[in-house]
Each structure stands twice: as C-alpha cells, then as structure tokens.
Amino acid sequence: MDFNHYLGIDVSKGSLELHLISLDQSIEFEPIDNTDDAITTGLFELCKLYQLSGENTLIIAEHTGIYTYPLIRVCSELGLSLWLQSGYEIKHSQGLQRGKNDKVDAYRIAEYGRRFRDKYSPIELGEKSIEYLRYLRSERRLLVKDRAKFQAQQSDHKDFISPDIYKGRAKRNKARIKLLDSQIKQLDQEIKEVIHEDPKLKRYLKLLTSIKGIGLQIALNVIIETLGFTKITTAKKFACHSGIAPFRYTSGTSVRSKNKVSYKANRKMKSLLFMGALSLLNVKDSEEYRYYKRKISEGKEHYSVMIALTDKLVRKMYAVIRDDRPYSKEYEPNWRNAEVA
C-alpha cells in the first residue's frame, strides 16, 4: 500500500519526537507530551495543516511497550494508520549509523516506513481481556521474581551467618514471602476471573490444559503471546517465536556450526514449555517417557530430545485449538503444520 506522507514518531516516557517525510519535503517538529490530550491536539493540528489522513498517511513508531499506549488510543480514535515496529528491526535495516538522538531517530523511523512500506501491517491491538491478562502477567512476574530473591536468602544465608544475627532477618524475610505468596494468589484469582468472563478465552484454556504438560501458566502465556491465536497462527511460527526451532549457520567451507536456536527468541516462553515437557517424564509408563528413553538409547542428546518433546506440545496445542476439541489418548491430531485458520 502506498502513502503520500510518512510520519515517524520516536516514543519515550515523557514525550514524542515527530518527523514528516512527504513526496517533496522533510519536516522536523517540536516534541509533544506523551499524553492522550497532547497527542490528540498535536496530530489533529498536523492533519489539518498538511491534509493528513488515514488513507494518505502512514504513522510509524518504535514499539516501546506501555509508552506507546496513548499513541495507539489516539490513532484509533482519529482513524489514522499506525505501524508499530521493533527498534531492532528499524536499527538494523539502515546500515552503518553514527550518532543518535531523539530527533534523528524520528527521521530514521519515518525513512524506514517510506522504504519498507510494502511490509506495513495494521497494528494488532488484541482483545481488551488479553491486554488485561498481559498487564496482570507482568505484575505477577515481578512478584515471583521478588519472592525468589527472598527465598534464596533464607537458604543461602542460614549456613554462613551466625544464628543470633540471622534470626531477625529470617523472620522479616518470612513475613515478606508470606505477603508475596498472598499477592500472587490474588493475582492468580484475578487472572482466572478475567479468563472465565470471556467465553472464548475460557474455551481456549480448557482445550490447552487438556494436554498433559500444559498447565495454567503455560496456557495463559500462549494465549497472550499469540493474541488469542490471531497473531501467530501456525505451530511452526510459534516454535520459532519461542526458541524451539533451531536454525543452521553455514558459510562457504569453513563455517559449519551445529543447528542453534536464535537468541532473538522469547526465552521465557521457551523455559515454560521446556518445563512442561520435562514434567511428562515423571510418568514412567507414559508415551513421552518411552519416546525419551528410546531416543536416548539411540544416542540422541538429552537437550535435543527435550526440544522434540516441546515441539510436540506446541503442535498439540495448535491442533486442539484448530479442531476445537480437547485432547485425549484416542484423539491423535495431525501435528504436522498445525495451524489455526
């Protein structure tokens, strides 16, 4: 899709830097505050002054998490075309760069939009309930991280600090852990309520947790990462996203490395799926346990076999969503190239 104007926006916590590239001009603007009112006023004035609209103008911004939310809301209200792109993609698409500041970044973002407009895809806002779950998940991760920190102190310090000194700290840490446990429990309950209030998410949760090795946290994260299976629609793509699919690195006759997982993958998602696959080995008479032992006896490495089991979990998840049917032993879905149409 071709546009006549490309408005690059560098988003930060406090302000937005704007740069407009048109067919015959390149204009730098003063920054505006990163608030709904300021963005609405600023974009409305620009649209009026330069005859910008959703049909002839593409707004490109670097995705900076929650700091982009005001811009998303305003563009949606004004009917403007917004493209959010990762900073990594923008930076590595423009060759060798020297120097950096917000005004230069705004120009580079606008230039990226002009050059790669054929890659433009409308922003996927997702459903409100999924955005709510994403926000709750972020808070839960912070609490779990803090709890692990204090739990580690309870065990690590005990054998090295004299009891009379350690006693007071241990008591305070115990109280902190108890409080964090309570808050995490409250968050889990709120997450369940959000899911159960949405019929589609409730159905997805039931389908995903019907698979052995898939618990609430894995199912929740899969739903969030895929925007309810609308953003990542195939098992193959999700395996790539979560760092399960390995890639080959070869060049000429000298570079012949083993297949490796890309460092750009979502490592938290990979860790969750890996633990889910690992839990399957606790059942000694299970199909997964027999598969694991057979592959190990054939000389396969532990890690490579676990990755294969993890990939099977991903394909099963996409298969049950595709067929809208809980998993059972009698139900053997076609895992190969599973996708949600």
Side-chain angles (χ1 to χ4, degrees):
M1 184 175 183
D2 283 331
F3 297 91
N4 296 326
H5 311 282
Y6 300 89
L7 181 62
I9 301 181
D10 183 63
V11 181
S12 64
K13 180 179 180 180
S15 63
L16 307 182
E17 290 283 352
L18 292 81
H19 195 107
L20 179 66
I21 295 180
S22 299
L23 298 177
D24 57 353
Q25 57 186 342
S26 178
I27 308 171
E28 180 183 291
F29 301 102
E30 290 297 319
I32 59 177
D33 293 337
N34 192 6
T35 63
D36 288 56
D37 291 341
I39 296 172
T40 301
T41 301
L43 290 184
F44 183 80
E45 291 178 354
L46 284 179
C47 290
K48 186 177 179 180
L49 184 60
Y50 296 97
Q51 288 79 50
L52 309 182
S53 67
E55 289 73 31
N56 66 14
T57 304
L58 177 60
I59 298 177
I60 316 98
E62 179 182 338
H63 203 312
T64 55
I66 61 172
Y67 300 147
T68 59
Y69 284 3
L71 178 63
I72 293 172
R73 289 192 293 266
V74 171
C75 287
S76 178
E77 291 171 1
L78 297 180
L80 298 173
S81 302
L82 175 62
W83 181 15
L84 293 184
Q85 184 59 280
S86 71
Y88 184 91
E89 177 73 22
I90 295 172
K91 178 180 178 181
H92 290 273
S93 69
Q94 300 182 350
L96 184 63
Q97 298 178 1
R98 293 178 176 84
K100 181 187 185 303
N101 60 59
D102 292 341
K103 292 187 181 298
V104 171
D105 285 346
Y107 167 76
R108 288 172 176 168
I109 293 171
E111 180 64 17
Y112 174 87
R114 186 187 66 81
R115 291 178 57 198
F116 299 100
R117 55 189 177 274
D118 57 306
K119 294 184 178 182
Y120 163 64
S121 60
I123 179 175
E124 297 167 321
L125 297 175
E127 298 177 6
K128 186 176 181 180
S129 53
I130 294 180
E131 290 301 318
Y132 191 12
L133 288 176
R134 187 191 300 275
Y135 194 66
L136 292 175
R137 180 187 67 170
S138 175
E139 183 180 359
R140 189 183 189 278
R141 283 178 173 176
L142 288 174
L143 295 179
V144 170
K145 186 176 181 180
D146 285 343
R147 182 179 64 179
K149 178 174 61 178
F150 292 120
Q151 287 174 335
Q153 289 183 8
Q154 291 292 81
S155 58
D156 292 349
H157 291 197
K158 186 175 181 180
D159 295 333
F160 299 96
I161 305 299
S162 58
D164 54 329
I165 298 176
Y166 171 74
K167 184 177 180 181
R169 184 167 186 170
K171 185 177 179 180
R172 290 187 293 272
N173 279 348
K174 188 176 181 179
R176 295 188 186 103
I177 293 171
K178 185 176 180 180
L179 176 60
L180 289 169
D181 283 336
S182 175
Q183 292 175 339
I184 292 171
K185 189 176 180 180
Q186 290 175 12
L187 275 178
D188 287 339
Q189 183 59 36
E190 190 170 349
I191 287 171
K192 289 180 181 179
E193 289 174 1
V194 172
I195 292 175
H196 285 283
E197 287 174 1
D198 188 311
K200 186 168 70 171
L201 294 185
K202 184 179 180 180
R203 178 63 176 169
Y204 284 171
L205 184 67
K206 182 179 179 180
L207 291 172
L208 293 175
T209 53
S210 69
I211 304 169
K212 288 184 179 179
I214 304 298
L216 173 63
Q217 290 305 316
I218 295 179
L220 170 67
N221 279 270
V222 170
I223 290 171
I224 291 174
E225 292 300 320
T226 61
L227 288 183
F229 294 92
T230 61
K231 179 183 177 182
I232 306 175
T233 57
T234 70
K236 185 176 181 180
K237 289 181 180 179
F238 188 77
C240 180
H241 170 80
S242 55
I244 299 170
F247 293 89
R248 179 172 296 176
Y249 293 87
T250 64
S251 179
T253 59
S254 58
V255 179
R256 288 288 185 275
S257 71
K258 294 182 179 179
N259 291 353
K260 297 180 180 179
V261 171
S262 172
Y263 68 90
K264 304 183 187 73
N266 187 328
R267 298 186 182 185
K268 289 183 179 179
M269 190 72 250
K270 179 184 177 181
S271 177
L272 282 172
L273 290 170
F274 196 90
M275 293 304 294
L278 197 61
S279 69
L280 297 173
L281 302 184
N282 294 330
V283 183
K284 303 301 181 183
D285 61 343
S286 67
E287 175 191 345
E288 291 79 13
Y289 180 78
R290 291 194 295 271
Y291 172 85
Y292 175 83
K293 298 298 290 185
R294 184 174 74 252
K295 290 299 180 180
I296 292 297
S297 66
E298 292 173 359
K300 299 290 185 180
E301 295 182 356
H302 166 77
Y303 182 77
S304 64
V305 179
M306 291 307 303
I307 288 294
L309 285 174
T310 305
D311 183 65
K312 284 188 177 184
L313 276 183
V314 171
R315 295 182 183 277
K316 286 181 181 180
M317 287 191 293
Y318 273 79
V320 297
I321 296 295
R322 177 196 62 198
D323 298 339
D324 193 24
R325 181 179 175 186
Y327 183 81
S328 65
K329 287 185 177 180
E330 293 75 24
Y331 171 44
E332 288 297 330
N334 178 15
W335 298 333
R336 192 178 302 275
N337 300 323
E339 64 179 284
V340 180

